[in-house]
Amino acid sequence: MRNVGWRSVLIVAAVAAVVHLAVAWRYGWHRDEFYFVTAGRHPAFGYIDQPPLTPLLAALAGNLVVLRILAIAAQVGCIVLTAMLAAELGGDRKAQTLAAAVIAACPIFVGASLLFGTTVLDQAVWIGVFLTTARALRIGAVRAWLWPGVIAGLGLENKDTVAVLLVGIGVGLLLYRRDVLRTWGPWLAAGVALLIALPNIVWQAAHGWPQFEMAAVLSDRTGGTLGSLAQLAVLAFLQAGPPLVAVWVLGARELTKHRWLLVVVILTPVVFTLAGGKSYYPARCWPCCSRPARCGSASCPRDGSPPWP
């Protein structure tokens, strides 16, 4: 792992945790939290509206205090992982701290951590996959691809939206890092992810793929593609918040130096919008836009370069 400015990053994470803990007990159960606990008490490899991981964790937690702590831990994880991603992409300590801070203040990330559910875990999974994929590309070792596979597989057992992430990464590698596709690494990651997700896939197939029906219902409620498109521009900026939007504007050029990642950032909202998905679905890739690097030296990693030492 590249050098991370742990002191400043952990300060940001600690402040965020304290703020969340200060308010986490001022409101009661959310209906989704009730549902997850109830569903988890009837263990299965899948449910009509989601994979089994979140219900299982909710049932194991069993009470509101533990559920909220898990949600806050996932939010803190998002903050720290975003800083680590910034470091992995070449960002200095100031860039890492800035990346952590804007995610800590991002309304959609803050809002997701107010209750325990699939979304807050999904956010952490996406950043984890981005981080470990970037690291695997940097070091060039086949075994490094095991981690993105494991994290993606667990993510697929939490929420099917991870499939869009994997497709985006695959397209990005196909367009800009074909040399990597000629190694065993990405195929190892894909195989591991599929193996971990297989129980839920089998359950869905045996029950007639009910999650596709649920996705269609949710799309209808959103208003389909046109409804999703109408919400995307306005809600995306409201959910991102001014600090992250400012970072997008200031750091847009930095992301072009990691073109496989840029493909994911562009493809994700397109796919979710065409599918009539909810407006916050593309938010999972926003940590990539947190000014990932300040590349003023020849050591800055760029796509198309040989494997880094």
Side-chain angles (χ1 to χ4, degrees), residues 218-267:
L218 294 176
S219 178
D220 288 340
R221 290 182 180 179
T222 304
T225 300
L226 293 179
S228 183
L229 183 62
Q231 298 179 57
L232 183 62
V234 175
L235 291 182
F237 284 98
L238 290 176
Q239 292 167 356
L244 184 54
V245 173
V247 166
W248 287 349
V249 174
L250 294 173
R253 289 185 60 188
E254 300 296 340
L255 195 57
T256 63
K257 297 169 183 176
H258 308 276
R259 289 168 291 179
W260 68 272
L261 200 52
L262 183 61
V263 171
V264 183
V265 172
I266 294 173
L267 190 63

Side-chain angles (χ1 to χ4, degrees), residues 44-57:
F45 286 119
Y47 300 89
I48 62 171
D49 54 350
Q50 69 203 9
L53 182 58
T54 294
L56 176 61
L57 292 176

Side-chain angles (χ1 to χ4, degrees), residues 79-270:
I79 295 168
V80 174
L81 288 171
T82 298
M84 294 171 68
L85 175 61
E88 191 61 49
L89 297 177
D92 59 17
R93 295 190 177 188
K94 290 182 179 179
Q96 296 163 27
T97 305
L98 176 62
V102 296
I103 292 301
C106 178
I108 191 61
F109 280 81
V110 172
S113 64
L114 296 178
L115 58 95
F116 179 75
T118 56
T119 300
V120 69
L121 297 180
D122 195 40
Q123 290 171 341
V125 165
W126 278 59
I127 307 172
V129 172
F130 285 135
L131 170 63
T132 52
T133 300
R135 182 176 185 275
L137 288 170
R138 176 174 64 84
I139 67 177
V142 171
R143 65 181 181 277
W145 287 93
L146 181 64
W147 284 110
V150 170
I151 296 171
L154 292 174
L156 287 169
E157 289 286 6
N158 173 66
K159 202 168 179 66
D160 292 331
T161 52
V162 175
V164 177
L165 166 63
L166 300 183
V167 170
I169 291 176
V171 173
L173 296 180
L174 181 63
L175 291 176
Y176 296 112
R177 293 301 305 268
R178 293 185 185 180
D179 58 304
V180 177
L181 294 177
R182 290 192 287 269
T183 70
W184 285 104
W187 307 107
L188 171 64
V192 170
L194 179 61
L195 183 63
I196 296 174
L198 191 59
N200 179 244
I201 295 172
V202 172
W203 187 94
Q204 287 289 326
H207 291 79
W209 303 101
Q211 280 199 252
F212 286 115
E213 297 180 23
M214 179 59 69
V217 171
L218 294 176
S219 178
D220 288 340
R221 290 182 180 179
T222 304
T225 300
L226 293 179
S228 183
L229 183 62
Q231 298 179 57
L232 183 62
V234 175
L235 291 182
F237 284 98
L238 290 176
Q239 292 167 356
L244 184 54
V245 173
V247 166
W248 287 349
V249 174
L250 294 173
R253 289 185 60 188
E254 300 296 340
L255 195 57
T256 63
K257 297 169 183 176
H258 308 276
R259 289 168 291 179
W260 68 272
L261 200 52
L262 183 61
V263 171
V264 183
V265 172
I266 294 173
L267 190 63
T268 296
V270 171

Side-chain angles (χ1 to χ4, degrees), residues 16-34:
V18 169
V19 171
H20 281 291
L21 287 169
V23 302
W25 325 120
R26 296 188 179 184
Y27 50 95
W29 288 83
H30 188 275
R31 63 181 182 273
D32 286 351
E33 291 172 319
F34 267 127

